[in-house]
Amino acid sequence: MTERFTSRGFFGKRRDAGTDRADRIPPGQYLTDGFPVLSAGPTPQIPLETWEFTIDGLVAEPMRWSWEQFQSLPSRDWTVDISCVTKWTKLDTRWHGVSVDDLLAAVEIDPRAGFLTAQSYGGYTTNLPLTDVVNNQAFVAWQYDGAPLEPPHGGPARLVVPHLYFWKSAKWVRGLRLMEKDQPGFWESLGYHIRGDPWREERYSGD
Amino acid sequence: MDDPLMLDANAVAGDLAEMFGFDVSGSVHRCTNCGNQGAVATLLAYVHGPGTVLRCCICHEIVMRWVRTPTRIYLDARGAAYMEMGLS
């Protein structure tokens, strides 16, 4: 297992006594200890009895999990740094959830698929290249800081893609749709960058 | 609905005035989704995200949304079937 993001946190902690935390803050960002809530709409209340997660689009057979089935997937703790395009960065956030690799392993992906759209309860969407969600770079979390993920932060479950701006980490995620072409999502179709790498300050279209 | 992020649309009147060239908070819009007609100021505003989203106070669908970058404003107003603005 590639522990790329956990490793960043680990090394950060090891060097924490000095000023090395600054090395983990992308350009133009400031550090926060809080966890700001950003939202484009009302917080959906999703009963776990009706919650489901699907992978569809360019796959041989779509896959669907109930909450109970989803909880039985292999899951683990993740400690990652996150950066929001509104300029806050939070270090060493602790999550629990399933790797997107393990979700994608449950379907047969059409070789034409190069991108996906994460779809959320409430209508939010965000687009990602497959290359940004594989190799343990992304996960679907249902716990934050040892407790069930609260709805304002995306509960019951949210996508977390820590190496990209946090608008890519879709709250209230309900599925991934695999696609041949990159299809701009909710913010990407309104001036935000198609990929959103904080280390390159890919904030807006054209950056 | 209990959402602390929701503000009255008057809070974003400045952005609207910049886009339309005058104060449209009293102008009438019609929601594309449910057909509700009302003043722009009655829309529910979500302003703490990467952009601003105005939603219908009846059906909560998006009426307008925009993003302000250092050099541009990107506006999607497809949720407003029409707008009626008084001339001074």
Side-chain angles (χ1 to χ4, degrees), chain B residues 46-58:
Chain B
Y46 292 82
V47 300
H48 294 290
T52 299
V53 177
L54 303 190
R55 290 179 179 266
C56 174
C57 64
I58 303 296

PDB file of all heavy atoms in Angstrom, chain B residues 46-58:
ATOM      1  N   TYR B  46     -26.158  31.318  -0.285  1.00  0.00           N
ATOM      2  CA  TYR B  46     -25.087  30.525   0.331  1.00  0.00           C
ATOM      3  C   TYR B  46     -23.774  31.161  -0.100  1.00  0.00           C
ATOM      4  O   TYR B  46     -23.401  31.082  -1.267  1.00  0.00           O
ATOM      5  CB  TYR B  46     -25.183  29.060  -0.103  1.00  0.00           C
ATOM      6  CG  TYR B  46     -26.412  28.397   0.459  1.00  0.00           C
ATOM      7  CD1 TYR B  46     -27.650  28.550  -0.162  1.00  0.00           C
ATOM      8  CD2 TYR B  46     -26.348  27.669   1.628  1.00  0.00           C
ATOM      9  CE1 TYR B  46     -28.789  27.971   0.368  1.00  0.00           C
ATOM     10  CE2 TYR B  46     -27.485  27.088   2.165  1.00  0.00           C
ATOM     11  CZ  TYR B  46     -28.701  27.242   1.526  1.00  0.00           C
ATOM     12  OH  TYR B  46     -29.818  26.685   2.070  1.00  0.00           O
ATOM     13  N   VAL B  47     -23.127  31.805   0.846  1.00  0.00           N
ATOM     14  CA  VAL B  47     -21.996  32.658   0.474  1.00  0.00           C
ATOM     15  C   VAL B  47     -20.666  32.161   1.023  1.00  0.00           C
ATOM     16  O   VAL B  47     -19.639  32.792   0.798  1.00  0.00           O
ATOM     17  CB  VAL B  47     -22.233  34.111   0.954  1.00  0.00           C
ATOM     18  CG1 VAL B  47     -23.499  34.667   0.326  1.00  0.00           C
ATOM     19  CG2 VAL B  47     -22.329  34.168   2.478  1.00  0.00           C
ATOM     20  N   HIS B  48     -20.673  31.043   1.742  1.00  0.00           N
ATOM     21  CA  HIS B  48     -19.430  30.602   2.368  1.00  0.00           C
ATOM     22  C   HIS B  48     -18.679  29.552   1.561  1.00  0.00           C
ATOM     23  O   HIS B  48     -17.742  28.952   2.050  1.00  0.00           O
ATOM     24  CB  HIS B  48     -19.705  30.070   3.778  1.00  0.00           C
ATOM     25  CG  HIS B  48     -20.181  31.138   4.707  1.00  0.00           C
ATOM     26  ND1 HIS B  48     -19.366  32.140   5.149  1.00  0.00           N
ATOM     27  CD2 HIS B  48     -21.398  31.378   5.242  1.00  0.00           C
ATOM     28  CE1 HIS B  48     -20.051  32.954   5.935  1.00  0.00           C
ATOM     29  NE2 HIS B  48     -21.284  32.515   6.008  1.00  0.00           N
ATOM     30  N   GLY B  49     -19.110  29.314   0.347  1.00  0.00           N
ATOM     31  CA  GLY B  49     -18.420  28.334  -0.497  1.00  0.00           C
ATOM     32  C   GLY B  49     -17.433  29.020  -1.415  1.00  0.00           C
ATOM     33  O   GLY B  49     -17.152  30.221  -1.264  1.00  0.00           O
ATOM     34  N   PRO B  50     -16.879  28.278  -2.371  1.00  0.00           N
ATOM     35  CA  PRO B  50     -15.967  28.867  -3.340  1.00  0.00           C
ATOM     36  C   PRO B  50     -16.627  29.934  -4.222  1.00  0.00           C
ATOM     37  O   PRO B  50     -15.947  30.715  -4.861  1.00  0.00           O
ATOM     38  CB  PRO B  50     -15.530  27.665  -4.184  1.00  0.00           C
ATOM     39  CG  PRO B  50     -15.707  26.490  -3.285  1.00  0.00           C
ATOM     40  CD  PRO B  50     -16.935  26.804  -2.472  1.00  0.00           C
ATOM     41  N   GLY B  51     -17.947  29.943  -4.253  1.00  0.00           N
ATOM     42  CA  GLY B  51     -18.687  30.955  -5.003  1.00  0.00           C
ATOM     43  C   GLY B  51     -19.959  31.282  -4.251  1.00  0.00           C
ATOM     44  O   GLY B  51     -20.134  30.884  -3.100  1.00  0.00           O
ATOM     45  N   THR B  52     -20.845  32.018  -4.909  1.00  0.00           N
ATOM     46  CA  THR B  52     -22.114  32.401  -4.283  1.00  0.00           C
ATOM     47  C   THR B  52     -23.251  31.660  -4.981  1.00  0.00           C
ATOM     48  O   THR B  52     -23.283  31.584  -6.215  1.00  0.00           O
ATOM     49  CB  THR B  52     -22.324  33.918  -4.409  1.00  0.00           C
ATOM     50  OG1 THR B  52     -21.247  34.557  -3.741  1.00  0.00           O
ATOM     51  CG2 THR B  52     -23.645  34.345  -3.784  1.00  0.00           C
ATOM     52  N   VAL B  53     -24.160  31.121  -4.199  1.00  0.00           N
ATOM     53  CA  VAL B  53     -25.299  30.385  -4.757  1.00  0.00           C
ATOM     54  C   VAL B  53     -26.570  30.990  -4.186  1.00  0.00           C
ATOM     55  O   VAL B  53     -26.719  31.121  -2.969  1.00  0.00           O
ATOM     56  CB  VAL B  53     -25.218  28.885  -4.393  1.00  0.00           C
ATOM     57  CG1 VAL B  53     -26.440  28.143  -4.923  1.00  0.00           C
ATOM     58  CG2 VAL B  53     -23.934  28.263  -4.957  1.00  0.00           C
ATOM     59  N   LEU B  54     -27.486  31.385  -5.072  1.00  0.00           N
ATOM     60  CA  LEU B  54     -28.801  31.870  -4.653  1.00  0.00           C
ATOM     61  C   LEU B  54     -29.841  30.811  -4.989  1.00  0.00           C
ATOM     62  O   LEU B  54     -29.916  30.354  -6.125  1.00  0.00           O
ATOM     63  CB  LEU B  54     -29.166  33.180  -5.361  1.00  0.00           C
ATOM     64  CG  LEU B  54     -28.212  34.371  -5.206  1.00  0.00           C
ATOM     65  CD1 LEU B  54     -28.866  35.629  -5.780  1.00  0.00           C
ATOM     66  CD2 LEU B  54     -27.844  34.596  -3.755  1.00  0.00           C
ATOM     67  N   ARG B  55     -30.623  30.432  -3.995  1.00  0.00           N
ATOM     68  CA  ARG B  55     -31.632  29.379  -4.187  1.00  0.00           C
ATOM     69  C   ARG B  55     -33.031  29.926  -3.968  1.00  0.00           C
ATOM     70  O   ARG B  55     -33.237  30.848  -3.173  1.00  0.00           O
ATOM     71  CB  ARG B  55     -31.366  28.220  -3.224  1.00  0.00           C
ATOM     72  CG  ARG B  55     -30.106  27.427  -3.574  1.00  0.00           C
ATOM     73  CD  ARG B  55     -29.850  26.301  -2.580  1.00  0.00           C
ATOM     74  NE  ARG B  55     -28.670  25.538  -2.940  1.00  0.00           N
ATOM     75  CZ  ARG B  55     -28.685  24.411  -3.682  1.00  0.00           C
ATOM     76  NH1 ARG B  55     -29.828  23.926  -4.106  1.00  0.00           N
ATOM     77  NH2 ARG B  55     -27.562  23.794  -3.965  1.00  0.00           N
ATOM     78  N   CYS B  56     -33.968  29.293  -4.651  1.00  0.00           N
ATOM     79  CA  CYS B  56     -35.377  29.649  -4.527  1.00  0.00           C
ATOM     80  C   CYS B  56     -35.839  29.412  -3.087  1.00  0.00           C
ATOM     81  O   CYS B  56     -35.526  28.376  -2.490  1.00  0.00           O
ATOM     82  CB  CYS B  56     -36.185  28.795  -5.497  1.00  0.00           C
ATOM     83  SG  CYS B  56     -37.962  29.003  -5.341  1.00  0.00           S
ATOM     84  N   CYS B  57     -36.585  30.370  -2.542  1.00  0.00           N
ATOM     85  CA  CYS B  57     -37.020  30.212  -1.151  1.00  0.00           C
ATOM     86  C   CYS B  57     -38.165  29.205  -1.036  1.00  0.00           C
ATOM     87  O   CYS B  57     -38.513  28.796   0.070  1.00  0.00           O
ATOM     88  CB  CYS B  57     -37.435  31.560  -0.564  1.00  0.00           C
ATOM     89  SG  CYS B  57     -38.854  32.297  -1.369  1.00  0.00           S
ATOM     90  N   ILE B  58     -38.733  28.790  -2.166  1.00  0.00           N
ATOM     91  CA  ILE B  58     -39.824  27.819  -2.125  1.00  0.00           C
ATOM     92  C   ILE B  58     -39.301  26.398  -2.371  1.00  0.00           C
ATOM     93  O   ILE B  58     -39.520  25.495  -1.576  1.00  0.00           O
ATOM     94  CB  ILE B  58     -40.910  28.151  -3.181  1.00  0.00           C
ATOM     95  CG1 ILE B  58     -41.444  29.573  -2.955  1.00  0.00           C
ATOM     96  CG2 ILE B  58     -42.035  27.113  -3.149  1.00  0.00           C
ATOM     97  CD1 ILE B  58     -42.159  29.792  -1.635  1.00  0.00           C
TER      98      ILE B  58
END
